Amino acid sequence: MRLLILTLTVVLLLFQYDFWFGKNGYLDYKETASEIAVHKEENTKLSQRNQVVAAEIKDLREGVDAIQERARLQYELVKPNETFYRISKENK
């Protein structure tokens, strides 16, 4: 009887070891879950960036106002008889 109990205990411990430390075990699951969370965060950032780029492309395709605005901001272009003011933030 003792041999049977000892054998069953060893089998139970082997299954527990396999569950916690084996291939596709609990530790692998936790590691994969953390990697998925990192990838989801990265995908969210990329999605936001793509939305900004798509909005810029739409503005450039649809109107001349966007081209003028971009030229004024990037290249400081002004129309004749117009005064250009640039307001910058104070560095602290």
Side-chain angles (χ1 to χ4, degrees):
M1 189 68 172
R2 285 187 175 183
L3 184 60
L4 179 64
I5 292 173
L6 183 63
T7 306
L8 291 176
T9 305
V10 169
V11 169
L12 178 67
L13 290 175
L14 285 174
F15 284 138
Q16 284 295 313
Y17 178 82
D18 205 29
F19 173 75
W20 290 102
F21 305 110
K23 184 179 178 183
N24 296 326
Y26 184 74
L27 298 178
D28 284 344
Y29 166 75
K30 282 300 209 184
E31 182 180 329
T32 304
S34 66
E35 288 177 7
I36 288 172
V38 168
H39 288 298
K40 281 185 178 181
E41 183 179 323
E42 184 179 333
N43 286 345
T44 303
K45 289 179 184 177
L46 291 175
S47 174
Q48 290 172 350
R49 187 195 70 183
N50 288 346
Q51 289 174 354
V52 169
V53 170
E56 282 186 26
I57 290 171
K58 181 182 175 187
D59 285 343
L60 289 174
R61 285 183 179 168
E62 289 181 356
V64 178
D65 295 334
I67 295 172
Q68 285 182 356
E69 178 185 350
R70 202 168 177 129
R72 288 172 185 265
L73 290 176
Q74 288 183 353
Y75 304 113
E76 298 179 1
L77 298 176
V78 291
K79 293 180 182 178
N81 300 326
E82 182 180 55
T83 306
F84 178 78
Y85 294 100
R86 178 176 291 246
I87 301 171
S88 61
K89 294 181 180 180
E90 182 179 327
N91 291 335
K92 292 184 179 181

